[in-house]
Amino acid sequence: MNKKNLRSSLSRTVRELDPLVRSAAQEQIIGQILELSAWGQSDSVFAYSAMDDEVDLSELLLAARKEGKEVFLPRVGEGKKEMAFFRAFPERENSPCLSLERHRLGFLQPSGKDDSEAIPGNASIVIIPGRAFDLQGRRLGRGGGYYDRWLTRVDPGIALLGVAFGCQVVPEVPCDPWDVAVTRVLRDSLTAFS
């Protein structure tokens, strides 16, 4: 299957998941992340604000905040296919709230006005969405190349975690030479293809 057809098919499959099954699947994925030694050793989390066909990490981001980890979310440039990460929460609990704004595609992103761009360091964990993954870590995104371009700026030693519903993990993801693979794919067992 080509990239376009695979994107369309899996996006539809995720949108059709039963809400209760989807919620339980997300809990299972978040539980896996919280159990990772990389999570315990991290002091910062680079994640994302979910769109309607992605694993929602809201509870994980709140857990990170409670554990004192810094949380960074991507900001997508308008008119450019560029992405940069900015702080999602204030540094201290009593600091004024940072401004998040809704992107035209529906996800929340930092305004970028409250802080400077962040790049993952040695004690960071990076969590990446995708339309599809395979067990070799190849990732199929939305087609804009935002993550592939951003990941060229990230130290290759940083662990990159792909997260997906089980139905988004396929035998083989078609890829191009510029596509960047993730280190590990975390998925639930509730929504996998039978």
Side-chain angles (χ1 to χ4, degrees):
M1 188 178 292
N2 68 32
K3 286 185 173 186
K4 182 179 179 183
N5 291 342
L6 188 57
R7 279 185 190 103
S8 176
S9 171
L10 292 178
S11 178
R12 185 172 49 258
T13 299
V14 171
R15 284 189 176 103
E16 291 172 355
L17 288 173
D18 177 276
L20 293 175
V21 171
R22 183 178 174 136
S23 178
Q26 289 172 159
E27 282 182 35
Q28 193 178 91
I29 293 165
I30 289 170
Q32 290 175 44
I33 296 170
L34 292 171
E35 291 175 5
L36 293 173
S37 61
W39 176 266
Q41 297 165 2
S42 67
D43 59 18
S44 62
V45 179
F46 287 72
Y48 62 91
S49 169
M51 295 177 72
D52 63 353
D53 58 354
E54 294 174 337
V55 174
D56 185 349
L57 298 178
S58 300
E59 293 300 318
L60 181 74
L61 301 181
L62 292 174
R65 183 73 176 133
K66 287 178 184 172
E67 292 179 27
K69 299 180 190 296
E70 291 184 285
V71 176
F72 300 94
L73 297 176
R75 177 174 176 74
V76 175
E78 292 297 329
K80 302 179 202 171
K81 291 197 171 188
E82 294 177 1
M83 179 176 79
F85 279 73
F86 295 90
R87 189 180 315 277
F89 297 109
E91 287 185 68
R92 296 176 311 281
E93 288 291 334
N94 58 357
S95 297
C97 186
L98 298 177
S99 61
L100 295 175
E101 59 190 30
R102 193 155 303 278
H103 186 273
R104 63 180 169 75
L105 295 176
F107 60 89
L108 291 174
Q109 65 179 7
S111 69
K113 300 171 188 168
D114 301 317
D115 213 350
S116 58
E117 179 183 352
I119 298 290
N122 289 337
S124 298
I125 189 168
V126 178
I127 304 169
I128 301 172
R131 289 284 178 102
F133 291 93
D134 62 26
L135 294 180
Q136 290 72 45
R138 291 182 291 248
R139 173 186 168 274
L140 180 66
R142 294 185 171 277
Y146 293 95
Y147 273 96
D148 292 316
R149 277 188 291 284
W150 179 74
L151 288 168
T152 63
R153 301 172 54 206
V154 175
D155 182 320
I158 304 280
L160 308 174
L161 304 176
V163 293
F165 293 104
C167 59
Q168 293 175 288
V169 178
V170 298
E172 186 175 353
V173 168
C175 61
D176 293 303
W178 56 82
D179 291 334
V180 177
V182 296
T183 311
R184 183 173 179 184
V185 179
L186 299 169
R187 66 203 185 281
D188 69 281
S189 60
L190 305 172
T191 63
F193 286 125
S194 50

PDB file of all heavy atoms in Angstrom, residues 81-83 85 117 119-120 126 128 145-158 160 177-181:
ATOM      1  N   LYS A  81       6.913  24.627   6.384  1.00  0.00           N
ATOM      2  CA  LYS A  81       6.860  23.271   6.922  1.00  0.00           C
ATOM      3  C   LYS A  81       7.962  23.115   7.954  1.00  0.00           C
ATOM      4  O   LYS A  81       8.858  22.306   7.804  1.00  0.00           O
ATOM      5  CB  LYS A  81       6.962  22.257   5.800  1.00  0.00           C
ATOM      6  CG  LYS A  81       5.728  22.265   4.918  1.00  0.00           C
ATOM      7  CD  LYS A  81       5.622  21.044   4.090  1.00  0.00           C
ATOM      8  CE  LYS A  81       4.264  21.041   3.407  1.00  0.00           C
ATOM      9  NZ  LYS A  81       4.005  19.812   2.729  1.00  0.00           N
ATOM     10  N   GLU A  82       7.853  23.935   9.008  1.00  0.00           N
ATOM     11  CA  GLU A  82       8.840  23.910  10.087  1.00  0.00           C
ATOM     12  C   GLU A  82       8.130  23.741  11.412  1.00  0.00           C
ATOM     13  O   GLU A  82       6.985  24.146  11.576  1.00  0.00           O
ATOM     14  CB  GLU A  82       9.639  25.212  10.101  1.00  0.00           C
ATOM     15  CG  GLU A  82      10.509  25.401   8.875  1.00  0.00           C
ATOM     16  CD  GLU A  82      11.235  26.741   8.884  1.00  0.00           C
ATOM     17  OE1 GLU A  82      11.075  27.508   9.854  1.00  0.00           O
ATOM     18  OE2 GLU A  82      11.944  26.996   7.912  1.00  0.00           O
ATOM     19  N   MET A  83       8.856  23.165  12.343  1.00  0.00           N
ATOM     20  CA  MET A  83       8.317  22.909  13.660  1.00  0.00           C
ATOM     21  C   MET A  83       9.431  23.144  14.672  1.00  0.00           C
ATOM     22  O   MET A  83      10.586  22.822  14.412  1.00  0.00           O
ATOM     23  CB  MET A  83       7.852  21.448  13.705  1.00  0.00           C
ATOM     24  CG  MET A  83       7.287  20.989  15.006  1.00  0.00           C
ATOM     25  SD  MET A  83       6.659  19.282  14.886  1.00  0.00           S
ATOM     26  CE  MET A  83       8.168  18.359  14.994  1.00  0.00           C
ATOM     27  N   PHE A  85       9.997  23.247  19.244  1.00  0.00           N
ATOM     28  CA  PHE A  85       9.386  22.914  20.525  1.00  0.00           C
ATOM     29  C   PHE A  85       9.588  24.051  21.518  1.00  0.00           C
ATOM     30  O   PHE A  85      10.668  24.636  21.586  1.00  0.00           O
ATOM     31  CB  PHE A  85       9.979  21.620  21.088  1.00  0.00           C
ATOM     32  CG  PHE A  85       9.368  20.391  20.493  1.00  0.00           C
ATOM     33  CD1 PHE A  85       9.661  20.011  19.195  1.00  0.00           C
ATOM     34  CD2 PHE A  85       8.477  19.627  21.233  1.00  0.00           C
ATOM     35  CE1 PHE A  85       9.089  18.874  18.641  1.00  0.00           C
ATOM     36  CE2 PHE A  85       7.900  18.486  20.686  1.00  0.00           C
ATOM     37  CZ  PHE A  85       8.211  18.111  19.386  1.00  0.00           C
ATOM     38  N   GLU A 117      13.103  28.504  21.991  1.00  0.00           N
ATOM     39  CA  GLU A 117      13.006  27.156  21.441  1.00  0.00           C
ATOM     40  C   GLU A 117      13.857  26.180  22.257  1.00  0.00           C
ATOM     41  O   GLU A 117      14.936  26.531  22.726  1.00  0.00           O
ATOM     42  CB  GLU A 117      13.487  27.162  19.992  1.00  0.00           C
ATOM     43  CG  GLU A 117      13.439  25.821  19.341  1.00  0.00           C
ATOM     44  CD  GLU A 117      13.975  25.815  17.920  1.00  0.00           C
ATOM     45  OE1 GLU A 117      14.264  26.890  17.367  1.00  0.00           O
ATOM     46  OE2 GLU A 117      14.106  24.713  17.369  1.00  0.00           O
ATOM     47  N   ILE A 119      15.641  22.219  22.583  1.00  0.00           N
ATOM     48  CA  ILE A 119      16.144  21.030  21.899  1.00  0.00           C
ATOM     49  C   ILE A 119      16.367  19.962  22.979  1.00  0.00           C
ATOM     50  O   ILE A 119      16.893  20.269  24.043  1.00  0.00           O
ATOM     51  CB  ILE A 119      17.468  21.329  21.162  1.00  0.00           C
ATOM     52  CG1 ILE A 119      17.266  22.398  20.081  1.00  0.00           C
ATOM     53  CG2 ILE A 119      18.054  20.058  20.548  1.00  0.00           C
ATOM     54  CD1 ILE A 119      16.456  21.960  18.892  1.00  0.00           C
ATOM     55  N   PRO A 120      15.980  18.709  22.730  1.00  0.00           N
ATOM     56  CA  PRO A 120      16.168  17.674  23.751  1.00  0.00           C
ATOM     57  C   PRO A 120      17.630  17.497  24.154  1.00  0.00           C
ATOM     58  O   PRO A 120      18.518  17.555  23.313  1.00  0.00           O
ATOM     59  CB  PRO A 120      15.654  16.403  23.066  1.00  0.00           C
ATOM     60  CG  PRO A 120      14.835  16.858  21.924  1.00  0.00           C
ATOM     61  CD  PRO A 120      15.356  18.188  21.520  1.00  0.00           C
ATOM     62  N   VAL A 126      11.601  11.778  24.169  1.00  0.00           N
ATOM     63  CA  VAL A 126      10.903  12.340  23.016  1.00  0.00           C
ATOM     64  C   VAL A 126       9.834  11.347  22.578  1.00  0.00           C
ATOM     65  O   VAL A 126      10.132  10.182  22.299  1.00  0.00           O
ATOM     66  CB  VAL A 126      11.883  12.627  21.853  1.00  0.00           C
ATOM     67  CG1 VAL A 126      11.130  13.164  20.644  1.00  0.00           C
ATOM     68  CG2 VAL A 126      12.968  13.610  22.289  1.00  0.00           C
ATOM     69  N   ILE A 128       6.711  10.654  19.907  1.00  0.00           N
ATOM     70  CA  ILE A 128       6.338  11.087  18.559  1.00  0.00           C
ATOM     71  C   ILE A 128       5.083  10.348  18.084  1.00  0.00           C
ATOM     72  O   ILE A 128       5.020   9.122  18.167  1.00  0.00           O
ATOM     73  CB  ILE A 128       7.509  10.808  17.596  1.00  0.00           C
ATOM     74  CG1 ILE A 128       8.751  11.555  18.073  1.00  0.00           C
ATOM     75  CG2 ILE A 128       7.155  11.189  16.169  1.00  0.00           C
ATOM     76  CD1 ILE A 128      10.006  11.203  17.310  1.00  0.00           C
ATOM     77  N   GLY A 145       6.436  16.188   6.643  1.00  0.00           N
ATOM     78  CA  GLY A 145       7.869  16.081   6.937  1.00  0.00           C
ATOM     79  C   GLY A 145       8.333  16.908   8.120  1.00  0.00           C
ATOM     80  O   GLY A 145       9.534  17.071   8.325  1.00  0.00           O
ATOM     81  N   TYR A 146       7.409  17.413   8.934  1.00  0.00           N
ATOM     82  CA  TYR A 146       7.771  18.265  10.069  1.00  0.00           C
ATOM     83  C   TYR A 146       8.720  17.553  11.031  1.00  0.00           C
ATOM     84  O   TYR A 146       9.753  18.087  11.408  1.00  0.00           O
ATOM     85  CB  TYR A 146       6.519  18.713  10.834  1.00  0.00           C
ATOM     86  CG  TYR A 146       5.627  19.636  10.057  1.00  0.00           C
ATOM     87  CD1 TYR A 146       4.535  19.148   9.342  1.00  0.00           C
ATOM     88  CD2 TYR A 146       5.875  21.001  10.040  1.00  0.00           C
ATOM     89  CE1 TYR A 146       3.708  20.010   8.627  1.00  0.00           C
ATOM     90  CE2 TYR A 146       5.056  21.869   9.332  1.00  0.00           C
ATOM     91  CZ  TYR A 146       3.975  21.361   8.623  1.00  0.00           C
ATOM     92  OH  TYR A 146       3.172  22.205   7.920  1.00  0.00           O
ATOM     93  N   TYR A 147       8.323  16.347  11.456  1.00  0.00           N
ATOM     94  CA  TYR A 147       9.164  15.617  12.410  1.00  0.00           C
ATOM     95  C   TYR A 147      10.490  15.204  11.775  1.00  0.00           C
ATOM     96  O   TYR A 147      11.532  15.276  12.416  1.00  0.00           O
ATOM     97  CB  TYR A 147       8.428  14.395  12.976  1.00  0.00           C
ATOM     98  CG  TYR A 147       7.595  14.733  14.181  1.00  0.00           C
ATOM     99  CD1 TYR A 147       6.240  15.012  14.060  1.00  0.00           C
ATOM    100  CD2 TYR A 147       8.162  14.795  15.453  1.00  0.00           C
ATOM    101  CE1 TYR A 147       5.475  15.336  15.170  1.00  0.00           C
ATOM    102  CE2 TYR A 147       7.406  15.116  16.561  1.00  0.00           C
ATOM    103  CZ  TYR A 147       6.067  15.393  16.418  1.00  0.00           C
ATOM    104  OH  TYR A 147       5.316  15.726  17.519  1.00  0.00           O
ATOM    105  N   ASP A 148      10.466  14.743  10.537  1.00  0.00           N
ATOM    106  CA  ASP A 148      11.719  14.328   9.897  1.00  0.00           C
ATOM    107  C   ASP A 148      12.718  15.483   9.843  1.00  0.00           C
ATOM    108  O   ASP A 148      13.902  15.295  10.117  1.00  0.00           O
ATOM    109  CB  ASP A 148      11.451  13.789   8.486  1.00  0.00           C
ATOM    110  CG  ASP A 148      10.694  12.470   8.519  1.00  0.00           C
ATOM    111  OD1 ASP A 148      11.056  11.613   9.334  1.00  0.00           O
ATOM    112  OD2 ASP A 148       9.753  12.315   7.730  1.00  0.00           O
ATOM    113  N   ARG A 149      12.255  16.678   9.525  1.00  0.00           N
ATOM    114  CA  ARG A 149      13.158  17.843   9.492  1.00  0.00           C
ATOM    115  C   ARG A 149      13.630  18.214  10.895  1.00  0.00           C
ATOM    116  O   ARG A 149      14.798  18.499  11.115  1.00  0.00           O
ATOM    117  CB  ARG A 149      12.474  19.044   8.827  1.00  0.00           C
ATOM    118  CG  ARG A 149      12.559  19.010   7.315  1.00  0.00           C
ATOM    119  CD  ARG A 149      12.048  20.291   6.690  1.00  0.00           C
ATOM    120  NE  ARG A 149      10.619  20.459   6.846  1.00  0.00           N
ATOM    121  CZ  ARG A 149       9.709  19.805   6.127  1.00  0.00           C
ATOM    122  NH1 ARG A 149      10.066  18.943   5.215  1.00  0.00           N
ATOM    123  NH2 ARG A 149       8.434  19.995   6.326  1.00  0.00           N
ATOM    124  N   TRP A 150      12.721  18.201  11.872  1.00  0.00           N
ATOM    125  CA  TRP A 150      13.092  18.569  13.237  1.00  0.00           C
ATOM    126  C   TRP A 150      14.079  17.559  13.813  1.00  0.00           C
ATOM    127  O   TRP A 150      15.038  17.932  14.485  1.00  0.00           O
ATOM    128  CB  TRP A 150      11.847  18.663  14.120  1.00  0.00           C
ATOM    129  CG  TRP A 150      12.158  19.012  15.533  1.00  0.00           C
ATOM    130  CD1 TRP A 150      12.541  20.234  16.018  1.00  0.00           C
ATOM    131  CD2 TRP A 150      12.139  18.129  16.665  1.00  0.00           C
ATOM    132  NE1 TRP A 150      12.754  20.163  17.380  1.00  0.00           N
ATOM    133  CE2 TRP A 150      12.514  18.884  17.796  1.00  0.00           C
ATOM    134  CE3 TRP A 150      11.836  16.785  16.817  1.00  0.00           C
ATOM    135  CZ2 TRP A 150      12.594  18.326  19.066  1.00  0.00           C
ATOM    136  CZ3 TRP A 150      11.906  16.229  18.082  1.00  0.00           C
ATOM    137  CH2 TRP A 150      12.286  17.007  19.189  1.00  0.00           C
ATOM    138  N   LEU A 151      13.865  16.279  13.536  1.00  0.00           N
ATOM    139  CA  LEU A 151      14.718  15.237  14.105  1.00  0.00           C
ATOM    140  C   LEU A 151      16.157  15.290  13.602  1.00  0.00           C
ATOM    141  O   LEU A 151      17.057  14.771  14.263  1.00  0.00           O
ATOM    142  CB  LEU A 151      14.110  13.854  13.851  1.00  0.00           C
ATOM    143  CG  LEU A 151      12.876  13.556  14.695  1.00  0.00           C
ATOM    144  CD1 LEU A 151      12.157  12.310  14.192  1.00  0.00           C
ATOM    145  CD2 LEU A 151      13.227  13.424  16.167  1.00  0.00           C
ATOM    146  N   THR A 152      16.398  15.944  12.483  1.00  0.00           N
ATOM    147  CA  THR A 152      17.785  16.093  12.017  1.00  0.00           C
ATOM    148  C   THR A 152      18.572  16.997  12.960  1.00  0.00           C
ATOM    149  O   THR A 152      19.795  16.980  12.942  1.00  0.00           O
ATOM    150  CB  THR A 152      17.860  16.669  10.591  1.00  0.00           C
ATOM    151  OG1 THR A 152      17.303  17.985  10.579  1.00  0.00           O
ATOM    152  CG2 THR A 152      17.129  15.774   9.593  1.00  0.00           C
ATOM    153  N   ARG A 153      17.896  17.756  13.799  1.00  0.00           N
ATOM    154  CA  ARG A 153      18.540  18.670  14.749  1.00  0.00           C
ATOM    155  C   ARG A 153      18.716  18.049  16.132  1.00  0.00           C
ATOM    156  O   ARG A 153      19.292  18.657  17.016  1.00  0.00           O
ATOM    157  CB  ARG A 153      17.708  19.951  14.861  1.00  0.00           C
ATOM    158  CG  ARG A 153      17.541  20.655  13.530  1.00  0.00           C
ATOM    159  CD  ARG A 153      16.560  21.800  13.588  1.00  0.00           C
ATOM    160  NE  ARG A 153      16.898  22.723  14.636  1.00  0.00           N
ATOM    161  CZ  ARG A 153      16.021  23.514  15.243  1.00  0.00           C
ATOM    162  NH1 ARG A 153      14.761  23.480  14.898  1.00  0.00           N
ATOM    163  NH2 ARG A 153      16.403  24.323  16.193  1.00  0.00           N
ATOM    164  N   VAL A 154      18.196  16.835  16.322  1.00  0.00           N
ATOM    165  CA  VAL A 154      18.225  16.171  17.622  1.00  0.00           C
ATOM    166  C   VAL A 154      19.405  15.206  17.668  1.00  0.00           C
ATOM    167  O   VAL A 154      19.667  14.478  16.705  1.00  0.00           O
ATOM    168  CB  VAL A 154      16.897  15.413  17.871  1.00  0.00           C
ATOM    169  CG1 VAL A 154      16.941  14.612  19.141  1.00  0.00           C
ATOM    170  CG2 VAL A 154      15.735  16.397  17.897  1.00  0.00           C
ATOM    171  N   ASP A 155      20.093  15.190  18.797  1.00  0.00           N
ATOM    172  CA  ASP A 155      21.221  14.271  18.988  1.00  0.00           C
ATOM    173  C   ASP A 155      20.769  12.841  18.704  1.00  0.00           C
ATOM    174  O   ASP A 155      19.758  12.387  19.243  1.00  0.00           O
ATOM    175  CB  ASP A 155      21.701  14.396  20.442  1.00  0.00           C
ATOM    176  CG  ASP A 155      22.903  13.534  20.746  1.00  0.00           C
ATOM    177  OD1 ASP A 155      22.975  12.393  20.266  1.00  0.00           O
ATOM    178  OD2 ASP A 155      23.787  14.016  21.483  1.00  0.00           O
ATOM    179  N   PRO A 156      21.506  12.112  17.850  1.00  0.00           N
ATOM    180  CA  PRO A 156      21.085  10.755  17.504  1.00  0.00           C
ATOM    181  C   PRO A 156      21.066   9.787  18.685  1.00  0.00           C
ATOM    182  O   PRO A 156      20.459   8.723  18.598  1.00  0.00           O
ATOM    183  CB  PRO A 156      22.103  10.294  16.459  1.00  0.00           C
ATOM    184  CG  PRO A 156      23.077  11.389  16.275  1.00  0.00           C
ATOM    185  CD  PRO A 156      22.697  12.540  17.151  1.00  0.00           C
ATOM    186  N   GLY A 157      21.662  10.140  19.805  1.00  0.00           N
ATOM    187  CA  GLY A 157      21.652   9.273  20.984  1.00  0.00           C
ATOM    188  C   GLY A 157      20.388   9.370  21.810  1.00  0.00           C
ATOM    189  O   GLY A 157      20.166   8.565  22.712  1.00  0.00           O
ATOM    190  N   ILE A 158      19.536  10.341  21.528  1.00  0.00           N
ATOM    191  CA  ILE A 158      18.282  10.518  22.289  1.00  0.00           C
ATOM    192  C   ILE A 158      17.278   9.442  21.855  1.00  0.00           C
ATOM    193  O   ILE A 158      17.061   9.222  20.671  1.00  0.00           O
ATOM    194  CB  ILE A 158      17.674  11.917  22.025  1.00  0.00           C
ATOM    195  CG1 ILE A 158      18.653  13.026  22.347  1.00  0.00           C
ATOM    196  CG2 ILE A 158      16.338  12.086  22.726  1.00  0.00           C
ATOM    197  CD1 ILE A 158      18.781  13.374  23.777  1.00  0.00           C
ATOM    198  N   LEU A 160      13.915   7.942  20.858  1.00  0.00           N
ATOM    199  CA  LEU A 160      12.698   8.451  20.228  1.00  0.00           C
ATOM    200  C   LEU A 160      11.624   7.379  20.350  1.00  0.00           C
ATOM    201  O   LEU A 160      11.785   6.265  19.847  1.00  0.00           O
ATOM    202  CB  LEU A 160      12.948   8.756  18.751  1.00  0.00           C
ATOM    203  CG  LEU A 160      14.139   9.654  18.420  1.00  0.00           C
ATOM    204  CD1 LEU A 160      14.337   9.736  16.914  1.00  0.00           C
ATOM    205  CD2 LEU A 160      13.960  11.031  19.031  1.00  0.00           C
ATOM    206  N   PRO A 177      14.351   7.829   1.843  1.00  0.00           N
ATOM    207  CA  PRO A 177      15.651   7.967   2.507  1.00  0.00           C
ATOM    208  C   PRO A 177      15.671   9.025   3.614  1.00  0.00           C
ATOM    209  O   PRO A 177      16.443   8.918   4.555  1.00  0.00           O
ATOM    210  CB  PRO A 177      16.592   8.350   1.366  1.00  0.00           C
ATOM    211  CG  PRO A 177      15.916   7.907   0.118  1.00  0.00           C
ATOM    212  CD  PRO A 177      14.449   7.956   0.397  1.00  0.00           C
ATOM    213  N   TRP A 178      14.828  10.049   3.526  1.00  0.00           N
ATOM    214  CA  TRP A 178      14.838  11.129   4.517  1.00  0.00           C
ATOM    215  C   TRP A 178      13.961  10.830   5.729  1.00  0.00           C
ATOM    216  O   TRP A 178      13.974  11.561   6.707  1.00  0.00           O
ATOM    217  CB  TRP A 178      14.388  12.444   3.878  1.00  0.00           C
ATOM    218  CG  TRP A 178      13.044  12.353   3.217  1.00  0.00           C
ATOM    219  CD1 TRP A 178      11.819  12.451   3.799  1.00  0.00           C
ATOM    220  CD2 TRP A 178      12.806  12.112   1.832  1.00  0.00           C
ATOM    221  NE1 TRP A 178      10.819  12.291   2.876  1.00  0.00           N
ATOM    222  CE2 TRP A 178      11.404  12.087   1.654  1.00  0.00           C
ATOM    223  CE3 TRP A 178      13.636  11.928   0.718  1.00  0.00           C
ATOM    224  CZ2 TRP A 178      10.820  11.878   0.398  1.00  0.00           C
ATOM    225  CZ3 TRP A 178      13.045  11.715  -0.524  1.00  0.00           C
ATOM    226  CH2 TRP A 178      11.651  11.689  -0.665  1.00  0.00           C
ATOM    227  N   ASP A 179      13.195   9.758   5.702  1.00  0.00           N
ATOM    228  CA  ASP A 179      12.334   9.410   6.830  1.00  0.00           C
ATOM    229  C   ASP A 179      13.185   8.947   8.019  1.00  0.00           C
ATOM    230  O   ASP A 179      14.090   8.139   7.852  1.00  0.00           O
ATOM    231  CB  ASP A 179      11.354   8.293   6.439  1.00  0.00           C
ATOM    232  CG  ASP A 179      10.315   8.763   5.432  1.00  0.00           C
ATOM    233  OD1 ASP A 179      10.018   9.969   5.394  1.00  0.00           O
ATOM    234  OD2 ASP A 179       9.799   7.909   4.677  1.00  0.00           O
ATOM    235  N   VAL A 180      12.880   9.475   9.193  1.00  0.00           N
ATOM    236  CA  VAL A 180      13.626   9.145  10.407  1.00  0.00           C
ATOM    237  C   VAL A 180      12.834   8.121  11.219  1.00  0.00           C
ATOM    238  O   VAL A 180      11.657   8.326  11.515  1.00  0.00           O
ATOM    239  CB  VAL A 180      13.892  10.412  11.261  1.00  0.00           C
ATOM    240  CG1 VAL A 180      14.603  10.060  12.556  1.00  0.00           C
ATOM    241  CG2 VAL A 180      14.693  11.431  10.451  1.00  0.00           C
ATOM    242  N   ALA A 181      13.499   7.023  11.574  1.00  0.00           N
ATOM    243  CA  ALA A 181      12.855   5.961  12.358  1.00  0.00           C
ATOM    244  C   ALA A 181      12.918   6.303  13.844  1.00  0.00           C
ATOM    245  O   ALA A 181      13.770   7.067  14.288  1.00  0.00           O
ATOM    246  CB  ALA A 181      13.553   4.625  12.104  1.00  0.00           C
TER     247      ALA A 181
END
